[in-house]
């Protein structure tokens, strides 16, 4: 019987899924920062600077 109550929210389910996955990622990074802050910082910098560094190395050669 709960299905008719959630029927108007059905188009928003993909949005809720994306928000839930994003929250899980932030929680994982937070836990990693609590136990291994240096490795977490290296991971975040590597993930954010990977493409510009590859482009810079390509342009430098």
């Amino acid at each position: 019987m709960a299905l008719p109550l959630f029927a108007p929210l059905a188009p928003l389910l993909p949005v809720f899924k994306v928000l839930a996955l994003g929250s899980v990622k932030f929680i994982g990074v937070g836990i990693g920062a609590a136990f291994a802050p240096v490795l977490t910082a290296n991971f975040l910098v590597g993930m954010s600077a990977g493409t510009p560094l590859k482009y810079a190395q390509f342009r430098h050669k």
Side-chain angles (χ1 to χ4, degrees):
M1 296 299 282
L3 186 60
L5 295 176
F6 293 112
L9 296 177
L12 297 176
L13 285 178
V15 175
F16 292 136
K17 287 181 184 179
V18 170
L19 288 175
L21 289 174
S23 299
V24 169
K25 291 177 188 174
F26 281 121
I27 291 170
V29 169
I31 292 172
F35 290 109
V38 174
L39 294 176
T40 304
N42 287 339
F43 172 73
L44 292 174
V45 169
M47 292 299 289
S48 63
T51 303
L53 285 176
K54 288 178 187 175
Y55 180 74
Q57 289 173 352
F58 173 76
R59 296 289 291 170
H60 183 67
K61 289 181 180 181

